[in-house]
Amino acid sequence: MGISNHTQSNTNSTAESPVGTEIELDITNVAHGGIFVARHEGRVVFVSDTLPGERVRARLTEANHKSFWRAETVAVITEAPERQPHVWAAAAIDRAPEDRAGGAELGHIELSFQRELKRRVLADALQRMAGIESPVTVESVQAGPNASPGDFMDGTGWRTRISLHVDEHGTVGPYAARSHRVIPVNDLPLAEHAIEEIAPLDTLFHNAATVNLVAPSEGPVRVLVAEKDTFGKPRPAERSVIRERVGDREFELDVSGFWQVHSRAAETLFAAVQDSIDPELFDPRATNLDLYGGVGLLAAAVGDRFGSAVRITSVESDPEAVNFAATNLKEWVGATAETDRVDRYLQRVLREADAAQRARLQAATVVLDPPRSGAGKVVIDQLGALSPAQIIYVACDPVALARDVALLAGFGYELKNLRAFDLFPNTHHVEAVAVLTK
């Protein structure tokens, strides 16, 4: 490795302030977040738009840490065999890094190798943070009924929700990778075809902040234009009820509310949670919990498997989502939906539960589906104090999952099973369902 010819004459000046310097790097590994690892003069360099086995010329973008720098690939000198033409021309390597659309950071890598890289990140996080050697694989998930066979082959056509941004000139598009700069594009290959067909990519949106497109499983695509308020922030969208179908079940939610973005994600996680619960440890009369429950998808999965007598409480901080959860769970007499932050809810339960309630909590199955940051120490400590029979942890971040698995080990919980799903092809994201018992 060395400083490229482009910058050799500036070696002395760039040693003190190397941002903008171009260097040649050999890529050796993958890191969390869709970036890759190289070394330069003993220092780790995190590099975008490459993959292990490549030699690249990269431009330094961040160099204020003693232990690591960050860089973006400018050109590929030696290609890895798994490199492919990018699935989205707007994000391809032949564009200047600042002009590459964000949101498809692994689109230059063959799909099967993307899954292998995600497996490595998940397995490495579990080994480093929790001391667990996991044989986990990342399972492929075919896109929905409106997708084509080609979509499944290249990981396109699966997004049912797209968020676009609007710049000061009214131009709409995604942000550039690692930036808040809007990039005009003429296609959205990760989106469902119905979204791509209706997306107003060539329309100017003056005084708008965002343009969101939603393709529910029932009904037409919705285009949601958020106007700017007096501070330039997006105004709240008008409320509108949509319906999402999972198997034979229908879920109501607000058009702007949270729902899984892959067209098959909801049914995949619905089934995975059902399959993950150990029936010998499940007590329908226990105080079963669905934490970070949203509109009740996973609480319904539990009820659907174990019958109408199931007792389960869904806890969610968004009151609008809780209202929908109450509707979506109404067929189970023992199902309730509560509006609260999960940590505050558990704190109250720990404070107020009598001996009989504690026993029902110890017999409980807890479904945990936290945001990307994970459950965290406070919630894990509270769950450890409640000591439920089994925890089904649905995770969208491998590092947060590994950290929380390590914390749960302090309360005697072991990782009994782990499945991972490629619900975000051509991105670095991966979804996992973990089973923890004592």
Side-chain angles (χ1 to χ4, degrees):
M1 293 180 230
I3 297 177
S4 71
N5 292 336
H6 178 74
T7 56
Q8 278 183 349
S9 61
N10 296 326
T11 301
N12 292 334
S13 61
T14 58
E16 296 180 2
S17 181
V19 169
T21 302
E22 292 183 7
I23 56 179
E24 291 185 8
L25 298 168
D26 292 315
I27 310 301
T28 59
N29 207 347
V30 61
H32 179 45
I35 54 178
F36 300 87
V37 181
R39 287 189 174 273
H40 178 68
E41 298 178 352
R43 180 184 282 104
V44 170
V45 184
F46 294 117
V47 192
S48 61
D49 298 319
T50 182
L51 68 155
E54 293 196 326
R55 184 173 179 85
V56 301
R57 190 169 79 248
R59 181 184 302 140
L60 293 174
T61 59
E62 185 179 323
N64 56 351
H65 296 276
K66 290 183 178 180
S67 58
F68 70 90
W69 289 346
R70 296 187 186 275
E72 53 199 9
T73 298
V74 175
V76 180
I77 299 168
T78 304
E79 287 191 358
E82 298 86 4
R83 178 175 281 273
Q84 65 176 10
H86 205 293
V87 298
W88 193 8
I93 192 74
D94 56 1
R95 285 193 168 204
E98 62 272 18
D99 292 330
R100 295 172 195 162
E105 61 276 7
L106 299 188
H108 60 288
I109 303 171
E110 291 179 0
L111 199 56
S112 61
F113 195 60
Q114 290 182 33
R115 291 193 287 269
E116 165 59 17
L117 293 173
K118 294 177 186 187
R119 183 203 66 78
R120 292 182 193 177
V121 170
L122 179 54
D124 178 67
L126 287 168
Q127 196 282 324
R128 285 187 299 105
M129 305 185 76
I132 295 172
E133 297 290 340
S134 173
V136 65
T137 60
V138 177
E139 302 174 35
S140 63
V141 178
Q142 192 161 356
N146 298 321
S148 69
D151 295 332
F152 182 58
M153 296 298 293
D154 66 7
T156 59
W158 54 268
R159 283 198 73 112
T160 63
R161 281 144 175 83
I162 291 285
S163 293
L164 301 172
H165 306 277
V166 182
D167 67 14
E168 66 274 18
H169 306 295
T171 301
V172 64
Y175 281 147
R178 302 165 294 280
S179 165
H180 283 176
R181 180 167 170 259
V182 172
I183 301 297
V185 298
N186 57 21
D187 64 347
L188 299 168
L190 300 193
E192 279 202 335
H193 298 305
I195 285 181
E196 194 172 29
E197 288 170 2
I198 202 173
L201 299 176
D202 56 357
T203 303
L204 292 178
F205 288 88
H206 297 294
N207 201 43
T210 61
V211 177
N212 294 324
L213 298 106
V214 178
S217 55
E218 302 284 331
V221 174
R222 309 291 184 91
V223 180
L224 311 175
V225 180
E227 300 291 338
K228 294 178 183 176
D229 62 18
T230 54
F231 301 100
K233 303 295 184 182
R235 294 185 187 277
E238 292 185 13
R239 298 203 176 276
S240 175
V241 176
I242 59 172
R243 290 170 177 80
E244 297 282 1
R245 183 164 291 279
V246 179
D248 295 331
R249 295 206 164 275
E250 191 174 82
F251 293 83
E252 292 186 357
L253 65 151
D254 187 78
V255 68
S256 298
F258 174 78
W259 190 256
Q260 294 288 339
V261 299
H262 189 288
S263 52
R264 282 255 162 83
E267 65 183 78
T268 298
L269 296 176
F270 190 94
V273 166
Q274 289 182 326
D275 295 343
S276 296
I277 297 172
D278 184 344
E280 295 186 3
L281 293 177
F282 186 81
D283 181 352
R285 298 162 299 177
T287 305
N288 301 298
L289 298 174
D290 172 29
L291 304 180
Y292 311 94
V295 298
L297 172 70
L298 300 183
V302 177
D304 207 42
R305 179 176 180 191
F306 293 101
S308 59
V310 164
R311 294 181 56 186
I312 190 165
T313 299
S314 179
V315 182
E316 166 62 46
S317 62
D318 177 4
E320 190 70 20
V322 172
N323 290 338
F324 283 112
T327 298
N328 295 330
L329 299 173
K330 63 184 178 184
E331 76 177 70
W332 293 281
V333 176
T336 58
E338 294 206 18
T339 305
D340 208 345
R341 260 181 22 199
V342 167
D343 58 339
R344 290 192 301 215
Y345 174 83
L346 294 177
Q347 183 181 44
R348 187 172 76 250
V349 168
L350 282 166
R351 184 175 63 247
E352 298 176 358
D354 58 24
Q357 291 169 324
R358 288 278 186 147
R360 287 194 293 272
L361 287 161
Q362 289 178 357
T365 293
V366 174
V367 178
L368 192 63
D369 185 12
R372 186 155 285 123
S373 57
K377 187 175 188 308
V378 171
V379 169
I380 295 299
D381 285 351
Q382 292 166 332
L383 286 175
L386 292 175
S387 193
Q390 58 185 327
I391 298 171
I392 313 300
Y393 192 134
V394 180
C396 58
D397 185 280
V399 171
L401 171 65
R403 179 204 63 208
D404 289 347
V405 166
L407 291 171
L408 284 164
F411 295 94
Y413 286 93
E414 295 182 9
L415 181 64
K416 295 295 186 183
N417 189 45
L418 178 66
R419 294 179 70 187
F421 303 95
D422 192 17
L423 295 178
F424 310 91
N426 295 305
T427 82
H428 73 275
H429 300 292
V430 62
E431 198 87 6
V433 178
V435 181
L436 297 113
T437 63
K438 291 190 173 183

